[in-house]
Amino acid sequence: MVTPTDDLSTDELFALTLQGDEEDPGAWRAIWQLHHRGGEDVFQRAAAWLQSSSPKERGRGANVLSQLEFRHRLPDRVARFTDVLLPALAKEQDAAVLEAMAAALGHLGDPRSVPALLPLKDHPDAHVRFGVVMGLSQHRDAQALQALIQLSRDPDETVREWATFTLGSQAREVDTPELREALVDRLSEAHPKIRGEALLGLALRKDARALEPLRRVLEDGVVTTLDVEAAQALEDVSLLPLLLEHREGFDAEEADPEFLAVLFEAIQSLESLPR
């Protein structure tokens, strides 16, 4: 799809990345265009911005490097991008820039990022701790998982949600007692999405402790797609009547199409199981 940034020079695109606040759509269109354009010039400019006196430029430099040449993410390029980000991270003090750098390292997935990010898991700014979750999300070594378990108990709701998501379904191939206990700890969450991520993570591991909390949610709670996905993953046919009640009770005009699609798939899946 053609965007207003397609015909702009690299200089113009870099200038556009500085407009507005951190989430400015126009700035991010320019960043995505730089990702797509790639090349040595874009890399050198982004790397130079990591050393800028302007926090905005340092953060945008990290944003550009995070997915630069995403179509050809070769190991030598990942290492090269990480080589310029790690020293910048080590001396950075600005919380917003630390978040951007940590998230960029998460996109790159270089294992050298783990020891560099671990000291930031206790940072007083929740945005930085959120960046650490993003930075560790691809890693499955013991130190990264231990940090994510700690962050799943973070006082900040967003940090808890994304750490629980990472442990629960992103890292579904990992199954340890400590990880399961971290998910069980989140079953008492008032926030439906955090609770749902925990339920889904336990269900994917066929942990029976998910059954009764999930049954209570389906009976009385605010039901999300995560809860329905958990019912499907747990493969307990005793939950089928509750899912059928939700199917019979929905309003076709007001229902969320995504929720209905997940619900119908879960029902079909449980109906195919032996009873």
Side-chain angles (χ1 to χ4, degrees), residues 145-218:
L145 291 170
Q146 185 58 49
L148 287 165
I149 287 171
Q150 175 184 323
L151 290 163
S152 75
R153 299 169 177 138
D154 194 88
D156 183 82
E157 196 171 76
T158 301
V159 175
R160 289 201 311 280
E161 178 186 343
W162 283 87
T164 305
F165 162 62
T166 302
L167 292 169
S169 53
Q170 274 200 309
R172 65 182 66 188
E173 73 277 15
V174 180
D175 192 4
T176 67
E178 189 173 12
L179 188 151
R180 289 194 184 204
E181 288 301 326
L183 295 175
V184 169
D185 285 347
R186 303 273 61 77
L187 294 179
S188 59
E189 283 277 353
H191 193 290
K193 288 192 69 175
I194 302 176
R195 183 196 62 216
E197 296 289 3
L199 284 169
L200 179 56
L202 289 167
L204 288 166
R205 294 165 177 83
K206 300 296 187 286
D207 192 308
R209 288 174 291 181
L211 179 58
E212 290 310 313
L214 182 54
R215 192 190 307 280
R216 288 194 296 272
V217 169
L218 293 174

Side-chain angles (χ1 to χ4, degrees), residues 23-92:
E23 303 303 322
D24 183 84
W28 278 99
R29 280 195 296 272
I31 291 167
W32 295 329
Q33 187 64 26
L34 288 166
H35 291 163
H36 181 82
R37 181 169 297 182
E40 185 65 18
D41 183 40
V42 175
F43 167 75
Q44 292 293 345
R45 289 166 187 250
W49 269 17
L50 295 180
Q51 308 304 320
S52 170
S53 60
S54 162
K56 188 72 169 288
E57 289 187 354
R58 296 198 301 274
R60 289 315 194 196
N63 294 150
V64 172
L65 286 171
S66 67
Q67 297 185 75
L68 184 60
E69 301 188 40
F70 61 92
R71 296 165 298 167
H72 309 290
R73 189 55 61 85
L74 302 175
D76 60 331
R77 293 179 185 174
V78 168
R80 191 182 185 206
F81 299 164
T82 305
D83 284 343
V84 297
L85 275 164
L86 287 178
L89 179 79
K91 63 183 182 181
E92 186 58 58

Side-chain angles (χ1 to χ4, degrees), residues 2 38 134 189:
V2 176
M134 298 295 100
E189 283 277 353

